Amino acid sequence: MYHIFQIYRKSFKALGLKKKILIAVVFGSLVIILSFSNNFNNQILDVTTNDIKESERPVDKLIGGLLTADFDEGSCLSRYHKHFLYRKPSPYKPSEYLVSKLRSYEMLHRRCGPDTKAYKEATEKLSRDEYYASEANGECRYIVWVAGYGLGNRLLTLASVFLYALLTERIILVDNRKDVSDLLCEPFPGTSWLLPLDFPMLNYTYAWGYNKEYPRCYGTMEENHSINSTSIPPHLYMHNLHDSRDSDKLFICQKDQSLINKVPWLIVQANVYFVPSLWFNPTFQTELVELFPQKETVFHHLARYLFHPTNQVWEMVTKYYDAHLSKADERLGIQIRVFGKPSGHFKHVMDQVVSCTQREKLLPEFATQEESKVNISKTPKLKAVLVASLYPEYSSNLTNMFSTRPSSTGEIVEVYQPSGERVQQTDKKIHDQKALAEMYLLSLTDNIVTSARSTFGYVSYSLGGLKPWLLYQPTNFTTPNPPCVRSKSMEPCYLTPPSHGCEADSGKNSGKILPFVRHCEDIMYGGLKLYDEF
């Protein structure tokens, strides 16, 4: 090799000056080209590697252990496939204690659920309607959720009742005389949460038999001093509706629980999210802090654990998402509920929606002529707006606004509304399935605006882990000013809470007992909500 190099050196010296310069230029260019090629290849390799890393990133189908892997995927596609649609993984991770508690609960439900010896014995005792002298026998105690009111109310109360069951080691059984099984998959492996139709207490007609006048209504018995720890009834009815008294709502207090814990069967009818009041009980509070270190994640975690749409509903979600939302650079959800009579499409509500979304920079302003010229050279972003309302006029008006006038940012705004049925048709199967599908679609948006006091909206934003903009409820058919407020919490609001707290806090306003349980932003001096921000 050395001799060859010597020959090349002598030959180079013999060349003329011009040829030497030419060779030097060619050699230098070759080095630059090779260097550029190497850098370019490295960049391609980096991009390819990143793409591979992105595609190979492990998918957390079990949501940090919140879900168990003990289900067949095909029987309920939504259970493990939701991550394919979500814009990004939820930043809110379930605590290890919550995961452990859920696995323990699932084992208890398998031991005590329908078709078990324990359940059969418990229902036989219930049928005999015999009072107990002291403690109820057996490890299996039950709480029956009675279906009532709209779908949003039902989901909020189901989560509330399940959390209470988790705290008190009861088995939740769900009244299936409505359409629960048409909407949701079974949440617990190897068993069922559906109450058998031959359950003896279902003889009472829903919503008429169970009320404050029912002989075993706990609130009434408490007020009449007709219940004590020496004579335990086989069941109690817990009345937690919008017309409940404080004696009904404060069943969660320590002194009440010491008696209620001995009762084998509880039957609950509710239409409110009563989770915030559970924190008033010191024993519950200690447990809740461990379960939910981030207090505003209660419904977010429980909903993702409990509520898995059936394949029929999930097909509605995925088809609509793929057709209208999947290609957007950004997605905005707008849920509009008009309370009172008459209800329908109103100009002051439409003005409120536009005012809120433009003021909060959720939708762009309309462009001036000069701004339109500037934005022509920009590659426009696509913003998809999903409207959920009984009235199609709201989405039609938004569509007309943005189709006839360019936006100041150059964004293309496309507006979609899956349905507009004008009348709420609770308990009609297809109506409820559409409603559940729209809640899930709203939860998949990047930002969300919802109506004050709407349980439909509460479910949607909390399920998606979103802090919403809440539209204030209009009065006297005028647009509120300001039109909306950004919530500091993604928790639902307990719309009709007790006026005061438990034992030691019986003289305090319920919204001023705990720093993290405060009044809701969308109800003036009312409601209770969990907050992490103080």
Side-chain angles (χ1 to χ4, degrees):
M1 187 71 184
Y2 175 76
H3 296 296
I4 294 172
F5 177 74
Q6 290 290 332
I7 294 170
Y8 281 151
R9 188 175 68 174
K10 290 178 181 178
S11 300
F12 185 75
K13 283 184 176 180
L15 294 173
L17 180 61
K18 290 182 179 180
K19 289 185 177 180
K20 287 180 180 179
I21 292 171
L22 180 61
I23 290 173
V25 170
V26 171
F27 182 75
S29 300
L30 182 61
V31 170
I32 292 170
I33 290 169
L34 288 173
S35 175
F36 174 79
S37 175
N38 188 48
N39 288 336
F40 183 72
N41 287 334
N42 284 339
Q43 288 175 12
I44 292 176
L45 181 61
D46 287 342
V47 171
T48 306
T49 303
N50 288 336
D51 286 345
I52 292 171
K53 286 179 181 176
E54 189 73 25
S55 63
E56 291 181 351
R57 183 180 296 165
V59 174
D60 184 14
K61 295 198 295 186
L62 303 183
I63 320 177
L66 197 64
L67 304 181
T68 174
D70 296 341
F71 284 97
D72 170 59
E73 288 195 23
S75 64
C76 183
L77 295 172
S78 67
R79 191 189 315 274
Y80 301 124
H81 291 193
K82 294 189 192 80
H83 61 274
F84 291 132
L85 296 188
Y86 274 92
R87 58 201 180 286
K88 55 187 176 183
S90 170
Y92 307 102
K93 306 302 178 187
S95 68
E96 291 183 7
Y97 187 64
L98 174 60
V99 170
S100 171
K101 193 82 172 177
L102 292 173
R103 297 296 87 82
S104 297
Y105 174 83
E106 290 163 2
M107 289 189 290
L108 180 63
H109 200 109
R110 283 195 291 272
R111 290 198 301 272
C112 301
D115 298 325
T116 63
K117 181 181 178 182
Y119 173 82
K120 183 180 179 182
E121 290 176 352
T123 51
E124 286 175 353
K125 289 180 179 179
L126 178 64
S127 298
R128 291 197 293 268
D129 198 30
E130 297 173 351
Y131 273 70
Y132 298 85
S134 56
E135 295 282 341
N137 296 321
E139 70 165 340
C140 300
R141 294 174 302 129
Y142 300 85
I143 184 165
V144 175
W145 173 86
V146 177
Y149 297 86
L151 183 59
N153 300 80
R154 294 182 184 188
L155 297 178
L156 293 176
T157 59
L158 254 179
S160 302
V161 172
F162 175 70
L163 180 56
Y164 177 76
L166 207 61
L167 292 170
T168 57
E169 297 184 342
R170 286 184 180 271
I171 305 303
I172 184 173
L173 295 174
V174 173
D175 176 13
N176 191 36
R177 288 175 294 173
K178 303 301 175 182
D179 52 11
V180 174
S181 59
D182 295 320
L183 300 173
L184 300 172
C185 303
E186 293 274 4
F188 313 130
T191 183
S192 175
W193 72 341
L194 299 178
L195 183 70
L197 294 176
D198 61 356
F199 179 67
M201 302 307 296
L202 286 185
N203 295 331
Y204 289 92
T205 306
Y206 144 74
W208 283 272
Y210 289 121
N211 53 42
K212 289 182 286 189
E213 284 68 48
Y214 180 72
R216 299 270 174 80
C217 176
Y218 177 74
T220 302
M221 295 179 79
E222 172 68 15
E223 288 190 351
N224 295 338
H225 306 289
S226 57
I227 186 169
N228 58 66
S229 58
T230 61
S231 183
I232 307 299
H235 78 276
L236 285 173
Y237 165 60
M238 319 305 287
H239 185 80
N240 204 342
L241 302 175
H242 54 279
D243 66 344
S244 295
R245 306 149 296 188
D246 278 349
S247 57
D248 297 303
K249 300 169 187 176
L250 291 173
F251 75 96
I252 48 85
C253 295
Q254 193 73 54
K255 70 175 183 62
D256 300 84
Q257 285 299 304
S258 62
L259 187 152
I260 292 171
N261 280 340
K262 300 173 184 178
V263 179
W265 289 88
L266 300 181
I267 299 169
V268 179
Q269 186 175 202
N271 66 351
V272 288
Y273 181 70
F274 60 84
V275 164
S277 66
L278 294 173
W279 298 74
F280 292 158
N281 182 320
T283 303
F284 288 169
Q285 186 182 141
T286 301
E287 183 90 346
L288 287 164
V289 168
E290 282 196 70
L291 289 168
F292 305 100
Q294 292 173 289
K295 298 173 184 65
E296 65 173 297
T297 63
V298 176
F299 187 81
H300 181 61
H301 289 322
L302 294 181
R304 293 187 304 156
Y305 173 72
L306 287 174
F307 305 143
H308 309 291
T310 59
N311 287 350
Q312 189 175 358
V313 177
W314 193 241
E315 185 179 15
M316 295 180 187
V317 175
T318 53
K319 280 188 174 180
Y320 200 89
Y321 185 91
D322 290 341
H324 303 295
L325 305 178
S326 60
K327 295 179 177 62
D329 298 298
E330 187 179 338
R331 288 161 285 275
L332 172 65
I334 301 176
Q335 181 264 338
I336 302 170
R337 171 69 189 272
V338 179
F339 290 96
K341 294 182 180 180
S343 60
H345 173 261
F346 295 103
K347 183 179 184 301
H348 69 274
V349 176
M350 190 71 243
D351 292 343
Q352 181 183 10
V353 171
V354 174
S355 175
C356 172
T357 52
Q358 291 188 333
R359 193 184 80 155
E360 299 296 330
K361 310 299 182 187
L362 299 170
L363 285 179
E365 302 276 351
F366 299 114
T368 62
Q369 192 170 1
E370 291 73 19
E371 287 173 327
S372 300
K373 293 176 182 177
V374 171
N375 289 325
I376 289 174
S377 60
K378 295 181 180 179
T379 302
K381 286 186 176 181
L382 174 60
K383 176 170 284 189
V385 179
L386 180 75
V387 177
S389 174
L390 289 172
Y391 309 102
E393 292 87 352
Y394 290 108
S395 60
S396 298
N397 283 352
L398 282 173
T399 298
N400 292 337
M401 287 179 190
F402 286 100
S403 62
T404 57
R405 299 173 64 183
S407 68
S408 59
T409 58
E411 291 173 293
I412 296 173
V413 177
E414 294 182 352
V415 183
Y416 304 100
Q417 183 170 341
S419 68
E421 302 192 358
R422 299 194 178 278
V423 178
Q424 186 170 330
Q425 303 171 57
T426 301
D427 294 334
K428 187 176 180 181
K429 176 181 172 181
I430 189 64
H431 174 87
D432 284 346
Q433 287 182 328
K434 287 179 182 178
L436 182 60
E438 290 182 29
M439 287 178 185
Y440 267 85
L441 286 168
L442 284 170
S443 79
L444 298 170
T445 57
D446 300 290
N447 292 300
I448 189 168
V449 177
T450 69
S451 296
R453 299 176 53 241
S454 171
T455 57
F456 190 110
Y458 291 165
V459 171
S460 301
Y461 70 67
S462 192
L463 183 63
L466 299 165
K467 292 183 180 179
W469 280 263
L470 298 166
L471 295 165
Y472 288 116
Q473 188 168 347
T475 55
N476 300 322
F477 297 95
T478 57
T479 300
N481 184 22
C484 60
V485 61
R486 179 77 187 275
S487 179
K488 293 182 178 179
S489 170
M490 61 184 186
E491 269 287 285
C493 176
Y494 181 179
L495 291 169
T496 55
S499 61
H500 57 84
C502 294
E503 295 86 22
D505 300 311
S506 60
K508 294 182 182 178
N509 181 305
S510 60
K512 298 181 180 180
I513 295 170
L514 298 170
F516 50 84
V517 179
R518 305 197 302 275
H519 291 309
C520 308
E521 300 103 332
D522 52 336
I523 301 178
M524 190 66 69
Y525 308 116
L528 289 181
K529 191 171 182 175
L530 289 163
Y531 295 86
D532 282 310
E533 291 184 35
F534 300 131

